[in-house]
Amino acid sequence: MEFGRVDQLTDISFHLPDDNPANKLSFADRQLVDRSIYIGLTGWGEKAWLENIYPSGTKPNSFLRSYARSFNCVELNSTFYGIPTEQVINKWLLETPEEFRFFPKVWRAISHRPILRAQDSTFQVFIDMLYQFGNRVKASFLQLPPGFGPSRYYELESFIHCWPIEHRLLIEFRDRQWLENEPIMDLMKSRRVGLVITDVAGRRDLMHMRVLGMSTLIRFVACGDSSLDQFRLKQWEERLENWYSRGLDWIAFFCHEPQNGLAPALARMAKSILNQNDNFIIPKIKDILDYETTQKSIFETS
């Protein structure tokens, strides 16, 4: 993920901000429901993962089956670019275990056009796709472009009202002003719509630490320094422990790497740190190569 990428890390604070005060209302009178943590990557088609999470000789048409032995979810970025056919979806479902969950990204033909509109065939095509997945979609996430600001309030309000409430939606805002817009936060909460938190070096303003809908999706982007990333992940372990103790239902934690060959090892680091907490329910991930070893291997052969 190139968004928020920087070349210099000096003068950047990687400490997690304090909790948003509004979380007190979100967590009030909640009972623990799930406490699962879904850890995954942004797809499964990376050939650089051969001999890392994919055994040597694995063919591309078997990547997903192999991926699902290591992870229990995937951030389905491919749906941002187009809608898979029913035949393709059925193939994905057959190649993954019943407990495996998909997190599709809303099609850019919906999210990145001049008007965010839910009353047309494009929107319905995406919703129909979700029904084809059945219960295998845990949540979808809508990534709004940086120029989508609060002046477009009524577009977003209408969209949220039209989104079928039985399908969980989370929104990734790239304009900080939305996070201070209480009418839209109240609407989202009433419609069980959650928030995405983007943890990336160049956009620390998006680290809002606000929870809606009792679930959240974190897009964690490596900064290029494995020791610093380890420090950042340890902070997340502490924050999630706090949120879960107050009633958070589930969390999805997706690992992004500008050098995508390193992404599985970053996920292993995340899993290793989170797995130290006995209160979390963590998916099993294979003992893939450690972050530093994979990094060295990639740069020696590039």
Side-chain angles (χ1 to χ4, degrees):
M1 186 163 77
E2 291 296 318
F3 176 76
R5 184 177 179 179
V6 295
D7 294 324
Q8 298 292 330
L9 300 177
T10 54
D11 301 324
I12 297 176
S13 173
F14 286 99
H15 290 274
L16 290 186
D18 293 337
D19 250 20
N20 189 303
N23 284 355
K24 292 181 179 180
L25 296 177
S26 295
F27 288 128
D29 300 322
R30 280 285 300 178
Q31 298 295 319
L32 188 63
V33 177
D34 189 340
R35 212 173 203 176
S36 292
I37 298 180
Y38 297 87
I39 302 177
L41 303 174
T42 63
W44 57 82
E46 180 60 66
K47 292 182 179 180
W49 298 347
L50 279 167
E51 300 185 30
N52 189 330
I53 60 171
Y54 304 150
S56 178
T58 304
K59 302 299 183 183
N61 62 2
S62 297
F63 279 0
L64 176 56
R65 186 177 291 108
S66 188
Y67 173 94
R69 296 190 186 106
S70 299
F71 303 97
N72 72 342
C73 65
V74 66
E75 183 185 292
L76 197 57
N77 273 324
S78 62
T79 54
F80 180 70
Y81 301 101
I83 302 298
T85 65
E86 185 174 359
Q87 181 181 8
V88 168
I89 292 172
N90 288 336
K91 181 176 182 291
W92 291 348
L93 298 180
L94 288 172
E95 291 180 344
T96 54
E98 180 61 32
E99 64 272 15
F100 188 91
R101 293 294 179 262
F102 295 86
F103 289 79
K105 188 175 182 179
V106 173
W107 192 12
R108 64 181 175 183
I110 298 170
S111 62
H112 282 61
R113 60 183 174 182
I115 299 176
L116 182 68
R117 183 181 293 122
Q119 298 89 351
D120 65 8
S121 60
T122 307
F123 177 82
Q124 193 58 49
V125 166
F126 188 85
I127 298 302
D128 289 344
M129 179 203 72
L130 295 182
Y131 282 106
Q132 291 171 28
F133 276 95
N135 68 348
R136 301 290 296 282
V137 167
K138 188 70 175 179
S140 303
F141 73 100
L142 172 70
Q143 181 189 89
L144 294 172
F148 192 102
S151 63
R152 299 175 68 176
Y153 177 93
Y154 292 107
E155 291 176 49
L156 184 57
E157 178 187 47
S158 176
F159 186 91
I160 292 172
H161 277 296
C162 290
W163 187 272
I165 200 166
E166 64 269 24
H167 288 289
R168 183 66 61 87
L169 177 68
L170 299 103
I171 299 178
E172 180 181 7
F173 292 113
R174 291 188 167 179
D175 184 327
R176 172 84 190 190
Q177 296 178 81
W178 282 110
L179 302 168
E180 298 157 5
N181 188 307
E182 290 308 315
I184 206 69
M185 294 293 111
D186 289 342
L187 173 62
M188 289 172 64
K189 187 175 179 181
S190 70
R191 296 287 298 175
R192 299 179 66 246
V193 176
L195 284 164
V196 174
I197 301 175
T198 306
D199 186 348
V200 63
R203 288 297 304 271
R204 306 311 289 168
D205 58 312
L206 298 180
M207 295 285 291
H208 52 79
M209 296 293 107
R210 185 159 186 178
V211 176
L212 292 177
M214 301 319 302
S215 58
T216 192
L217 187 157
I218 296 169
R219 307 183 83 204
F220 181 93
V221 187
C223 68
D225 182 323
S226 60
S227 296
L228 188 51
D229 285 336
Q230 188 173 25
F231 165 76
R232 295 166 64 201
L233 288 166
K234 180 59 179 174
Q235 289 187 90
W236 272 115
E237 182 271 322
E238 295 171 355
R239 184 59 55 89
L240 296 182
E241 166 64 21
N242 177 271
W243 286 353
Y244 275 130
S245 69
R246 296 159 65 192
L248 186 71
D249 190 353
W250 56 262
I251 186 166
F253 199 98
F254 290 106
C255 297
H256 292 249
E257 252 287 355
Q259 183 75 32
N260 202 35
L262 294 173
L266 178 67
R268 179 184 181 275
M269 181 191 289
K271 181 260 184 180
S272 177
I273 290 172
L274 293 173
N275 203 37
Q276 295 173 14
N277 193 316
D278 294 336
N279 292 319
F280 296 159
I281 300 173
I282 308 291
K284 293 182 179 180
I285 298 178
K286 285 182 179 177
D287 189 21
I288 56 181
L289 295 175
D290 66 87
Y291 189 77
E292 293 82 358
T293 302
T294 312
Q295 189 177 45
K296 181 180 179 182
S297 174
I298 285 175
F299 285 111
E300 283 181 347
T301 57
S302 61

